[in-house]
């Protein structure tokens, strides 16, 4: 590999990046808008849930119980006088759940007897239904504790549960999702940077000039890889800054370790893009292949949204060849837990192997020929 020719190829690619705004748009503008779109659009938190509160008798006890729902940031309560009206509202989709207190609720509470509370939840969205059920139980538990304090007696609970949340004590889904979003976005960006740009050179005929030059195929590949590697790292830096500044995601781990893992992952994504460019010499075809083979697997099979352990065993085996799986786990660990080396070291080794596989494969199948 000739150093002078390599410097010339790197300079040529750098000038092409500066003269062609599409590469800069892919590296900086696209991740900016994608992170804003998915960061604000994708959320596992249920807030301001419309819920129907039904009671036929308004008393101090029912008002105190319903007051917990009105003070909660998770509910947007609506009061109904009878269960039939609340059911019709649930059927229309006006509310997502019903809390019904029977007419003898106050009498049972005053006598110290069991006072049942009926909770009806719309189960079309099972995940949202489970979240609503948990929020209702939280309001119910707070009301029981308040009633016990008013009577001056301890709350009679057979088991005293004391919860402690590690790594994400605020239980904000953004703190969990945004690091995964960075991995998904950088998967698409890294593959597009090399796939579309090389395909564009084939379409414009400039690749023929490179093939006719004295430069070897290894020099051409490295000359293309280095500028887009630094361009992709710039896009990665932008997404990290946005995650911390816009979405207030804490970075507990080391910044240098974060970018070291990002460099390994970006080499994998760029290698996939180079492989796509050797198969498809048309920008539209290259874009479609990059979307199907990089973005969709990263979104579905990386553990970003769907838990890998709950997938069928053939799909779980398939996820081991998805590079985004290891980068998502690494980012979530670095952002929320810190430098946990048993997790990070294993993921870095997997990313290094996958990156080596794609780069070696590209080097073996690439030839200086036009057919």
């Amino acid at each position: 590999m000739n150093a002078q020719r390599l410097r010339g190829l790197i300079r040529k690619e750098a000038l092409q990046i500066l003269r062609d705004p599409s590469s800069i748009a892919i590296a900086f503008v696209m991740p900016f808008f994608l992170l804003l779109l998915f960061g604000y659009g994708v959320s596992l938190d249920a807030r301001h849930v419309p819920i129907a509160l039904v009671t036929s008798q308004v008393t101090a006890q029912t008002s105190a119980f319903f007051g917990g729902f009105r003070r909660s940031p998770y509910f947007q309560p609506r009061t109904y006088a009878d269960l039939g009206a609340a059911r019709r509202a649930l059927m229309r989709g006006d509310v997502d759940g019903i809390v019904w207190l029977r007419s003898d609720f106050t009498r049972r509470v005053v006598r110290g007897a069991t006072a049942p509370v009926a909770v009806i939840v719309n189960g079309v969205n099972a995940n949202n239904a489970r979240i609503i059920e948990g929020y209702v139980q939280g309001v119910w538990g707070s009301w029981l504790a308040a009633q016990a304090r008013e009577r001056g007696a301890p709350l009679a609970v057979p088991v005293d549960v004391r919860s402690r949340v590690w790594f994400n004590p605020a239980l904000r889904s953004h703190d969990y999702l945004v690091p995964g979003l960075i991995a998904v976005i950088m998967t698409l960006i890294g593959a597009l940077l090399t796939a579309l740009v090389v395909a564009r050179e084939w379409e414009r005929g400039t690749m023929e000039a490179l093939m006719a030059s004295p430069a070897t195929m290894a020099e051409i590949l490295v000359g293309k890889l280095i500028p887009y590697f630094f361009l992709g790292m710039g896009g990665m830096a932008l997404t990290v800054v946005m995650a911390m500044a816009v979405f207030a995601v804490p970075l507990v781990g080391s910044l240098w370790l974060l970018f070291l893992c990002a460099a390994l992952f970006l080499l994998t994504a760029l290698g996939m893009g180079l492989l796509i460019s050797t198969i498809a010499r048309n920008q539209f075809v290259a874009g479609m292949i990059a979307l199907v083979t990089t973005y969709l697997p990263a979104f579905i099979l990386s553990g970003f949204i769907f838990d890998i352990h709950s997938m069928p065993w053939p799909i779980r085996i398939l996820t081991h060849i998805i590079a985004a799986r290891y980068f998502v786990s690494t980012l979530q660990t670095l952002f929320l837990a810190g430098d946990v080396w048993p997790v990070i070291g294993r993921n870095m080794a997997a990313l290094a192997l996958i990156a080596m596989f794609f780069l070696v494969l590209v080097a073996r199948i690439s030839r200086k020929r036009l057919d």
Side-chain angles (χ1 to χ4, degrees):
M1 188 173 294
N2 186 280
Q4 185 175 0
R5 288 199 300 262
L6 184 59
R7 285 196 302 269
L9 289 170
I10 293 174
R11 184 173 181 272
K12 173 255 181 190
E13 291 297 332
L15 290 175
Q16 183 171 333
I17 290 172
L18 294 177
R19 293 170 181 172
D20 189 359
S22 62
S23 299
I24 299 177
I26 292 174
F28 294 101
V29 179
M30 186 180 292
F32 176 81
F33 284 106
L34 285 178
L35 195 59
L36 285 180
L37 178 64
F38 286 115
Y40 286 113
V42 179
S43 177
L44 299 180
D45 297 329
R47 290 183 176 271
H48 307 293
V49 177
I51 191 167
L53 306 179
V54 182
T55 181
S56 58
Q57 293 184 351
V58 180
T59 63
Q61 284 75 17
T62 59
S63 298
F65 184 79
F66 285 160
F69 290 93
R70 296 188 175 94
R71 291 188 298 269
S72 173
Y74 304 110
F75 292 109
Q76 187 177 356
R78 303 177 183 179
T79 304
Y80 292 86
D82 61 276
L83 184 60
R87 286 179 179 272
R88 289 190 293 271
L90 184 65
M91 294 293 293
R92 292 194 304 268
D94 296 338
V95 296
D96 290 335
I98 301 173
V99 178
W100 175 39
L101 303 183
R102 294 170 50 177
S103 59
D104 59 348
F105 177 81
T106 301
R107 185 175 71 253
R108 287 173 174 266
V109 171
V110 172
R111 289 169 49 192
T114 302
V117 177
V119 178
I120 304 172
V121 181
N122 185 352
V124 172
N125 188 336
N127 182 66
N128 196 49
R130 284 191 292 266
I131 293 175
I132 294 173
E133 185 180 1
Y135 289 165
V136 171
Q137 290 178 354
V139 173
W140 168 76
S142 300
W143 179 79
L144 286 179
Q147 291 291 310
R149 287 195 301 270
E150 289 181 2
R151 294 193 302 266
L155 181 61
V157 179
V159 178
D160 184 15
V161 178
R162 300 183 181 181
S163 301
R164 178 177 296 178
V165 180
W166 285 11
F167 312 134
N168 188 7
L171 295 177
R172 294 177 66 242
S173 64
H174 275 153
D175 292 353
Y176 171 79
L177 291 175
V178 170
L181 278 172
I182 295 176
V184 174
I185 291 171
M186 293 311 300
T187 303
L188 179 61
I189 301 308
L192 285 177
L193 277 175
T194 47
L196 291 183
V197 171
V198 175
R200 188 183 302 120
E201 288 210 37
W202 282 110
E203 290 183 351
R204 294 177 178 176
T206 55
M207 186 61 74
E208 283 83 348
L210 281 177
M211 294 295 183
S213 69
T216 64
M217 199 64 208
E219 292 169 354
I220 295 174
L221 293 176
V222 175
K224 288 188 172 298
L225 193 64
I226 292 177
Y228 293 109
F229 172 80
F230 285 103
L231 192 63
M233 290 300 291
M236 176 67 192
L238 173 64
T239 56
V240 171
V241 170
M242 287 184 62
M244 300 174 64
V246 178
F247 298 101
V249 180
L251 178 59
V252 181
S254 304
L255 188 62
W256 69 268
L257 187 56
L258 172 64
F259 279 95
L260 177 60
C261 297
L264 285 174
F265 177 73
L266 191 57
L267 285 175
T268 304
L270 293 175
M272 295 173 66
L274 286 175
L275 181 62
I276 293 171
S277 68
T278 60
I279 299 173
R281 300 182 180 183
N282 178 275
Q283 291 186 73
F284 177 77
V285 176
M288 292 298 101
I289 294 176
L291 184 66
V292 173
T293 59
T294 62
Y295 176 73
L296 292 181
F299 195 89
I300 299 173
L301 302 178
S302 65
F304 159 60
I305 292 288
F306 309 106
D307 183 23
I308 294 177
H309 299 288
S310 61
M311 298 178 182
W313 69 265
I315 304 299
R316 290 201 302 270
I317 295 175
L318 181 62
T319 60
H320 286 88
I321 64 173
I322 306 299
R325 165 188 173 146
Y326 306 102
F327 195 43
V328 166
S329 175
T330 300
L331 286 177
Q332 291 173 345
T333 302
L334 285 171
F335 270 96
L336 300 178
D339 300 342
V340 184
W341 281 103
V343 176
I344 297 173
R346 182 173 62 248
N347 292 335
M348 288 180 65
L351 287 174
L353 288 175
I354 297 175
M356 187 182 303
F357 169 79
F358 279 111
L359 294 177
V360 170
L361 181 62
V362 169
R364 297 216 23 141
I365 66 176
S366 298
R367 297 289 185 271
K368 286 190 69 175
R369 61 190 184 196
L370 300 178
D371 54 345

